Amino acid sequence: MSGERLGLRRELGRLESYATLIGILVGAGIFRVTSDAWALTGSSVVLGYLALAPAVLATSVPYAVFLSTPLGRLPGGEYTHISRTFGSARLAFVGVWIKIIAYLGALAYLARAFADYLLQLEGVAAPGGADGAGSVGTAARMGVALGVLALFYAIHVWGVRWFGRLQVLMFAALGVSILVLVVPGVFAIERAHYAPVFTGGVRGFAACLPLLFFAYAGFESLAQTAGEVRDSTHHLPRVFLRGILVTTLLFAAISGVAFGVLPGDVLGASHAPMADVARVYLPRYGTAVVVIGALMALTTSINATMLVPSRLVVMLASDGLSPAWLGHVHPRTATPVRALTLTYVLAAALLVSRQMALALNIAVLAMVLLYLLHSVALLVVPRTNPELFASRRVRMPPGLMRAAAVFSALAMLGLVIVIVHGDLRTLVHDDFVARLAAGRLTSIELLVVWGLAGLAVHALAHRDRSLPPPE
């Protein structure tokens, strides 16, 4: 099976792939979570990004290997790779079910973040203001957030070619804004702002890592374009490895300038941290460029995030695990219009109901568990599916592949332990009713609830037939 047999068209190239990978990472992370992480560990946030980079690079190796096989011509990412490795869809289905939930929450979150930045640029909300700027500001934010979701929904329905072209244009604007922010910002750094480096000690630094990992989580979204990238088994493995290296350097540069220009407590209280950093040393037009760049960072993330659930549904439908009509690809646009529509409706519902936390709070744990299982799949695929392993095109010594997979699995297991430890402390010390009312359920609680729901859906949708082999 290939993307063409599913009705998809190969209209994306390497440039669109790089723009998709780097764009979703920069937008999902650096412009939002850096200041939150400072509250846990201080300016050592910069070191946190660098500490996570080897683990993320190692985690990308299994994706590169699987995408260099015939599976690299199909969407579905981890679901496709894990299910074809183990010959069973149940475990993979539950994992991607939770991933879809997390991506819907991330889509709503990013749309709201875009509204915050845009209204600051237009002057509707006060610069660096808090979330409650009055009923007019709240209504305006909601309108903008819903509008940007509708815009990108329409673009995706129109065709993947337009998704790619727009992603490249927005990424180019983002690149210019990063240069405007970082290059002159280096000369505005005050070393005193970096002290103290570790405000929370070892525990605080460890606690910030899952939060910073949110900046990296999502790199695997590129795998969902495998059915629509030209010569995907050749291009995508290289894009994964090189794109993550570039992103790591961007994270370190942007966060290093941010903490050197403004004190951490100011950044922590800021609603638009990078815009406030730019105001210190840039004229008004320069600040506007940075704010526009932040908007582009968020829109590149929204654009790529919108794609993921629909392509997963296409693969689930092809395996009989979701209704066939839902995974239908429109013959004229070559896009899964019905799955895209459902993605938009559910993300908008989370946004309007202000229940994003029920989906978003599970995102990091869900991604880490999937990365862990995906790395294990690479370790066992030589035994469970030797034909698939032998078909790989990536030129990497088997020993290096195994070492990367083992390192990734151990690193992901470490992150799971940190997340679970923090959740257990919350479960012991905080009242459940109060947390439920505040929408602060732990990742463990959400994982259990959504996991049971996924098992129920799988039981209802399961078809007693073997999974199709890759062609």
Side-chain angles (χ1 to χ4, degrees), residues 327-408:
H328 173 72
V329 176
H330 196 283
R332 183 175 63 83
T333 64
T335 55
V337 176
R338 295 167 185 171
L340 284 167
T341 301
L342 185 60
T343 298
Y344 168 73
V345 170
L346 293 177
L350 287 173
L351 187 62
V352 172
S353 65
R354 304 182 188 278
Q355 297 301 315
M356 290 179 289
L358 294 178
L360 187 61
N361 287 359
I362 198 177
V364 174
L365 181 58
M367 294 296 99
V368 170
L369 288 172
L370 268 178
Y371 297 154
L372 173 60
L373 185 58
H374 194 254
S375 297
V376 171
L378 178 59
L379 291 173
V380 303
V381 71
R383 295 189 298 275
T384 61
N385 197 336
E387 295 83 6
L388 178 63
F389 185 68
S391 69
R392 69 193 186 280
R393 295 178 62 184
V394 72
R395 295 184 177 180
M396 184 180 297
L400 182 58
M401 291 182 194
R402 289 192 293 270
V406 169
F407 179 68
S408 169

Side-chain angles (χ1 to χ4, degrees), residues 110-121:
L110 290 166
R112 179 57 186 266
F114 174 86
D116 289 339
Y117 265 96
L118 181 63
L119 294 182
Q120 183 178 92
L121 181 63

Side-chain angles (χ1 to χ4, degrees), residues 71-239:
L71 297 183
R73 297 196 295 264
L74 290 167
E78 305 91 344
Y79 167 77
T80 304
H81 306 161
I82 294 170
S83 62
R84 273 56 176 180
T85 295
F86 295 102
S88 172
R90 179 177 299 172
L91 185 60
F93 174 85
V94 174
V96 299
W97 163 266
I98 297 173
K99 176 176 178 174
I100 290 173
I101 300 299
Y103 266 73
L104 292 173
L107 193 56
Y109 169 85
L110 290 166
R112 179 57 186 266
F114 174 86
D116 289 339
Y117 265 96
L118 181 63
L119 294 182
Q120 183 178 92
L121 181 63
E122 294 294 331
V124 176
D131 200 30
S135 59
V136 175
T138 300
R141 287 186 181 91
M142 187 62 68
V144 170
L146 291 173
V148 75
L149 282 179
L151 172 63
F152 284 100
Y153 161 72
I155 290 168
H156 278 259
V157 168
W158 197 4
V160 73
R161 177 188 303 176
W162 301 105
F163 152 80
R165 289 178 177 177
L166 184 60
Q167 187 78 357
V168 170
L169 289 174
M170 294 186 300
F171 180 70
L174 171 60
V176 171
S177 72
I178 291 176
L179 287 175
V180 171
L181 176 72
V182 170
V183 174
V186 170
F187 301 97
I189 289 175
E190 296 184 25
R191 294 183 182 179
H193 291 162
Y194 291 129
V197 178
F198 293 94
T199 58
V202 175
R203 177 178 293 180
F205 185 74
C208 89
L209 293 180
L211 182 59
L212 293 180
F213 194 79
F214 180 72
Y216 285 107
F219 74 88
E220 83 294 337
S221 302
L222 183 63
Q224 303 305 330
T225 67
E228 295 155 286
V229 172
R230 293 183 292 273
D231 197 7
S232 55
T233 58
H234 175 71
H235 292 317
L236 289 183
R238 300 183 181 189
V239 173

Side-chain angles (χ1 to χ4, degrees), residues 207-342:
C208 89
L209 293 180
L211 182 59
L212 293 180
F213 194 79
F214 180 72
Y216 285 107
F219 74 88
E220 83 294 337
S221 302
L222 183 63
Q224 303 305 330
T225 67
E228 295 155 286
V229 172
R230 293 183 292 273
D231 197 7
S232 55
T233 58
H234 175 71
H235 292 317
L236 289 183
R238 300 183 181 189
V239 173
F240 262 102
L241 300 174
R242 296 172 182 173
I244 290 173
L245 281 173
V246 171
T247 302
T248 299
L249 296 177
L250 291 178
F251 283 171
I254 296 173
S255 59
V257 167
F259 285 108
V261 171
L262 283 180
D265 56 344
V266 176
L267 282 174
S270 173
H271 202 58
M274 298 308 159
D276 289 340
V277 169
R279 287 191 183 92
V280 173
Y281 55 87
L282 292 177
R284 179 174 296 182
Y285 67 85
T287 302
V289 169
V290 172
V291 175
I292 291 172
L295 292 174
M296 295 300 99
L298 292 164
T299 52
T300 54
S301 286
I302 294 170
N303 198 28
T305 303
M306 179 73 74
L307 179 140
V308 173
S310 62
R311 271 51 178 189
L312 285 170
V313 169
V314 168
M315 278 305 300
L316 293 175
S318 73
D319 286 349
L321 295 174
S322 72
W325 65 267
L326 186 56
H328 173 72
V329 176
H330 196 283
R332 183 175 63 83
T333 64
T335 55
V337 176
R338 295 167 185 171
L340 284 167
T341 301
L342 185 60

